[in-house]
Amino acid sequence: MNVLKLTFCTIILFLGTLSISSKVQAQQTGGGKTGVGIMIGEPSGISLKSWNNSNTAWDLGLAWSLSGKDAIHVHADYLWHKWLDVEKGELAFYYGIGGRVVFTDDPFAGVRVPFGLNYLIEDSPVGVFFELAPILDFLPDTDGDVNGSLGVRFYF
């Protein structure tokens, strides 16, 4: 029964991302509003970010654990950005709220509160990021965790 609940939560998270508006103007990265790339850390995997406007975005991750847990992680976050003054490119501090589901022998789900730095390289479709995300898992039991990653995305 817990696997059914976790699968349902995952489907809801991804369906919510399908409602992202396609009328968003391209960011000043030299690319478009959607970025796909990799994240290295705990967990490591594929990262997707889609800008709603210049200050908000959706962030999705499909990843696996490198700590030997044999687990697949899926997360979806809504992010707010505070742009900082830099000489070249664009740098933002961001924070958000989202959810995650971890598929393992004993699957679990929780709420993420990510925060980090996002740097968009000037005149380039490439962005890099560093993120930490405290987590409160609530299914099947209440427990705390932290994810952290360093990543790069190509915007198109």
Side-chain angles (χ1 to χ4, degrees):
M1 186 64 158
N2 284 335
V3 173
L4 183 60
K5 287 180 186 177
L6 293 174
T7 302
F8 179 74
C9 289
T10 303
I11 291 169
I12 294 300
L13 288 173
F14 279 117
L15 288 178
T17 63
L18 294 177
S19 65
I20 298 170
S21 171
S22 61
K23 298 180 181 179
V24 178
Q25 305 239 344
Q27 298 301 302
Q28 296 177 8
T29 61
K33 72 173 188 91
T34 302
V36 176
I38 61 168
M39 56 185 171
I40 304 297
E42 183 56 39
S44 294
I46 300 167
S47 174
L48 180 131
K49 185 170 191 173
S50 185
W51 293 89
N52 300 318
N53 56 50
S54 63
N55 293 318
T56 64
W58 283 97
D59 173 54
L60 304 173
L62 175 61
W64 51 93
S65 176
L66 293 178
S67 66
K69 296 179 184 176
D70 291 332
I72 301 293
H73 297 243
V74 178
H75 73 258
D77 303 316
Y78 190 79
L79 304 175
W80 291 270
H81 297 74
K82 169 72 172 139
W83 295 97
L84 308 172
D85 289 329
V86 294
E87 284 189 35
K88 292 193 176 213
E90 302 206 23
L91 178 65
F93 169 77
Y94 66 88
Y95 57 93
I97 185 90
R100 79 157 180 185
V101 178
V102 179
F103 297 96
T104 183
D105 291 338
D106 296 315
F108 49 95
V111 176
R112 290 170 37 99
V113 182
F115 62 93
L117 293 172
N118 191 77
Y119 181 72
L120 304 174
I121 299 171
E122 186 175 18
D123 299 323
S124 170
V126 177
V128 295
F129 66 94
F130 170 73
E131 175 178 287
L132 290 174
I135 298 165
L136 177 61
D137 289 321
F138 57 86
L139 286 173
D141 297 318
T142 304
D143 195 13
D145 199 0
V146 176
N147 286 163
S149 61
L150 177 64
V152 61
R153 294 185 193 100
F154 178 81
Y155 287 87
F156 56 93

